[in-house]
Amino acid sequence: MEAGKGIDQSALRDIVRQLLKAESVKLWLPPYTLADGFSAGAYSPDMVGRYAEASGSAQEAIVAMLESLRQHAIAKLTSRRAGLEPARVLEVGEQLVFHVRHESGESSEISVTIDLKRSGRELGEAVARAASLDPRSFRMVHSGAVVDDDK
């Protein structure tokens, strides 16, 4: 099949993800990602051939999909390492204590004193200042729901 013909991108993505999972392939590790953690490595011709046959797609389409999935995985890992996972409120009162995960993987607590009638956006900005983070780089979760910026 020619690249771009046959199976749609969403279906191809699903098939390739299933194959990667079945083979325990981790695209963010060598040989698929180079030691710098970002640059593309190599996909074995054997793997590309198997995936092309299983999906009925061209090998070029498989390589493009693998690279798309690899880049997505790298972006996801990078955001996790940067401490962008949701902070959770541990204690509620006039002084709020938040659990923050740092780039190193370690966790810490920060305290923020704020009027509880302030908006979620103002609370997020206070937490960002205390944790030295960009306020757009994380979400706050309370009782399983993301804290609304306007409430």
Side-chain angles (χ1 to χ4, degrees), residues 8 12 18 28 36 57 64 75 79 90 107 116 122 127 130 139 144:
D8 68 52
L12 180 59
Q18 289 172 355
W28 58 92
D36 67 5
S57 298
S79 69
L90 296 179
S107 297
L116 294 179
E122 291 170 307
V127 169
R139 294 176 294 151

Side-chain angles (χ1 to χ4, degrees), residues 65-141:
M65 183 57 65
L66 287 167
E67 184 56 18
S68 173
L69 291 169
R70 186 192 73 79
Q71 289 176 4
H72 177 76
I74 295 294
K76 194 172 174 183
L77 279 173
T78 301
S79 69
R80 282 185 181 162
R81 288 180 184 151
L84 305 180
E85 290 189 357
R88 296 179 316 163
V89 176
L90 296 179
E91 299 171 22
V92 179
E94 186 149 80
Q95 183 172 13
L96 302 175
V97 178
F98 291 87
H99 171 79
V100 179
R101 183 170 178 219
H102 299 278
E103 183 174 356
S104 65
E106 295 180 16
S107 297
S108 65
E109 291 183 356
I110 59 167
S111 297
V112 176
T113 302
I114 189 169
D115 180 346
L116 294 179
K117 294 181 181 174
R118 297 288 183 181
S119 70
R121 179 176 290 110
E122 291 170 307
L123 177 59
E125 289 169 354
V127 169
R129 278 191 302 276
S132 300
L133 293 171
D134 180 340
R136 298 166 300 196
S137 69
F138 65 93
R139 294 176 294 151
M140 293 187 298
V141 176

Side-chain angles (χ1 to χ4, degrees), residues 11 14 23 50-51 83 98:
D14 291 343
E23 295 182 7
R50 283 193 322 274
Y51 289 19
F98 291 87

Side-chain angles (χ1 to χ4, degrees), residues 23 31-32 41-51 59 62-63 66:
E23 295 182 7
Y32 315 107
Y43 306 108
S44 77
D46 180 54
M47 181 175 90
V48 171
R50 283 193 322 274
Y51 289 19
Q59 290 188 3
I62 297 298
V63 170
L66 287 167

